[in-house]
Amino acid sequence: HLQLQESGPGLVKPSETLSLTCAVSGDSISGSTYYWGWIRQSPRKGLEWIGSFHSRGSNFYRPSLKSRATISLDTSRNQFSLRLTSLTAADTAVYYCAKMGQSTHWAPDQWGPGILVTVSS
Amino acid sequence: QSDLTQPPSASGTPGQTVTISCSGTSSNVERGTVHWYQQVPGTAPKLLIYGDHHRPSGVPDRFSGSKSGILASLAIGGLQSEDEATYFCAAWDDVLNVPVFGGGTNLAVL
């Protein structure tokens, strides 16, 4: 049974960098044929895909976030991470990690419970 | 304003069938495949329909998806109180090169 769990800070200051981790259990990221990624949700912007990656090295990012977002893999811990730099209040959202569905790199079929991140001084 | 247009709210009584629409453009709904998600407040979205009309394992056949041109629809038959949630549609946009989501439809079971 696949489970995903986000962890990280709930409050980050403007201009700082956000680092979130997604722990995966019930499947191996390195051996998986699926994409894994991050999506965020805010009242102002709704659901917003951030990016996805495949263990074979293929990555996709939202164009407007590509310069600030990095998704990386830690196979030894079976987890993956999101790093988002130069935060502003507009980055305040619930962040979800997700496993993407078969034959798609962007549409989740399994989600973590989400973590609320607030950007404020 | 969302890229895919959904009615903000819908309602029905137990046992009824409710249909939720999702209007897009030729660069997303018409050209791509549509996915539908159900979100209960305070929880993560759950995949209901993928590839326009396919149901993941465990999703009741009361839920069905369809698409014609730039319009996709989610039908919920035999409405139950547990169906009260927000429903989102999503599709890849070939021009924007990102997935686009609807603003969500809040379904009330009266």
Side-chain angles (χ1 to χ4, degrees), chain B residues 1-102:
Chain B
Q1 187 175 351
S2 301
D3 294 287
L4 302 181
T5 301
Q6 297 181 239
S9 63
S11 63
T13 55
Q16 275 191 329
T17 295
V18 169
T19 300
I20 297 171
S21 63
C22 170
S23 180
T25 67
S26 59
S27 66
N28 45 58
V29 170
E30 184 169 36
R31 199 175 301 169
T33 57
V34 177
H35 306 259
W36 289 91
Y37 294 91
Q38 176 194 60
Q39 187 174 32
V40 174
T43 69
K46 169 190 170 184
L47 180 66
L48 272 186
I49 298 288
Y50 67 96
D52 297 338
H53 58 86
H54 300 283
R55 279 186 308 276
S57 172
V59 173
D61 59 8
R62 303 188 294 107
F63 296 90
S64 62
S66 62
K67 188 180 79 173
S68 178
I70 64 169
L71 187 65
S73 298
L74 172 71
I76 308 172
L79 205 59
Q80 300 178 5
S81 57
E82 67 204 49
D83 298 331
E84 278 207 340
T86 301
Y87 294 84
F88 297 92
C89 58
W92 182 265
D93 192 291
D94 280 343
V95 172
L96 299 176
N97 215 28
V98 292
V100 289
F101 292 86

Side-chain angles (χ1 to χ4, degrees), chain A residues 7-50:
Chain A
S7 61
L11 179 65
V12 189
K13 290 182 169 54
S15 79
E16 291 189 343
T17 295
L18 172 66
S19 292
L20 296 176
T21 297
C22 181
V24 178
S25 59
D27 195 1
S28 168
I29 293 176
S30 59
S32 175
T33 59
Y34 305 110
Y35 281 85
W36 307 81
W38 294 88
I39 289 179
R40 65 184 183 182
Q41 184 176 28
S42 64
R44 193 167 69 94
K45 296 183 183 178
L47 287 162
E48 194 174 44
W49 169 78
I50 298 171

Side-chain angles (χ1 to χ4, degrees), chain A residues 40-114:
Chain A
R40 65 184 183 182
Q41 184 176 28
S42 64
R44 193 167 69 94
K45 296 183 183 178
L47 287 162
E48 194 174 44
W49 169 78
I50 298 171
S52 306
F53 81 94
H54 195 283
S55 60
R56 294 173 191 164
S58 176
N59 293 319
F60 297 89
Y61 288 98
R62 185 177 197 84
S64 62
L65 294 175
K66 192 171 184 179
S67 64
R68 298 197 292 130
T70 303
I71 298 174
S72 59
L73 166 68
D74 184 344
T75 55
S76 64
R77 298 182 181 183
N78 206 41
Q79 62 187 33
F80 59 99
S81 302
L82 169 68
R83 187 170 178 268
L84 189 63
T85 63
S86 304
L87 293 176
T88 70
D91 294 309
T92 294
V94 176
Y95 285 74
Y96 297 99
C97 64
K99 168 189 159 294
M100 307 307 172
Q102 197 162 18
S103 72
T104 172
H105 70 273
W106 66 268
D109 64 0
Q110 297 283 345
W111 303 63

